[in-house]
Amino acid sequence: MPSVSANVSSSVSASIIARNYEDQADSLAKIASGSRIVKPSDDAAGLAVGTALKADVSVLKQSALNIGQAKSILSTADGGLTAAGDILERQAVLAAQSASATVSDAERVNIDQEYQALNAELDSIRNSTSFNGQSLL
């Protein structure tokens, strides 16, 4: 009677080689990605934590960008307020000068002209101090 014999040792070897090939493919995938976890079956809990951390990092990066923009807005407003403060200081000097009894009426007219020009400059600063089209003053 004919019998069919199988080469058991070659079947076992083929199975071991196939398992080693799969392990090698997994290791290469981890090396290529630079991550210990490539798929959920590697470490489901670790993947969940890693995903949450990546989301937190994205939020923190956006927060840092928002802070940078806020600093820019404040710097712009500060520049406008500094210029306005300088003008107000000059106007106070002009008002004190005009109140002096030693100033003639013609000089008071000149002082008033400068004072009014400074008022116009204050309006200009107020209208032009903006960030992204939004008025700051």
Side-chain angles (χ1 to χ4, degrees):
M1 175 160 167
S3 70
V4 175
S5 63
N7 189 346
V8 175
S9 38
S10 69
S11 295
V12 169
S13 296
S15 174
I16 291 171
I17 288 172
R19 192 172 338 125
N20 284 341
Y21 178 76
E22 288 174 12
D23 290 344
Q24 180 186 18
D26 287 343
S27 294
L28 287 174
K30 289 177 185 177
I31 289 170
S33 72
S35 178
R36 182 180 67 86
I37 303 169
V38 177
K39 55 189 176 189
S41 63
D42 292 339
D43 182 4
L47 181 63
V49 170
T51 302
L53 285 174
K54 284 181 184 177
D56 288 345
V57 167
S58 296
V59 169
L60 291 173
K61 283 182 180 178
Q62 184 59 49
S63 296
L65 289 173
N66 291 350
I67 289 169
Q69 289 176 344
K71 286 172 66 176
S72 296
I73 290 170
L74 290 174
S75 293
T76 302
D78 184 50
L81 289 173
T82 299
D86 293 343
I87 289 172
L88 292 172
E89 185 179 326
R90 176 65 182 152
Q91 284 182 323
V93 169
L94 290 173
Q97 182 182 5
S98 180
S100 172
T102 61
V103 177
S104 70
D105 288 339
E107 290 173 325
R108 279 192 181 89
V109 169
N110 290 335
I111 290 171
D112 185 56
Q113 286 176 349
E114 182 180 351
Y115 193 92
Q116 295 307 320
L118 290 172
N119 268 343
E121 184 63 24
L122 276 175
D123 286 341
S124 174
I125 290 171
R126 180 178 50 86
N127 293 331
S128 66
T129 303
S130 64
F131 191 86
N132 277 345
Q134 182 177 359
S135 180
L136 299 178
L137 303 177

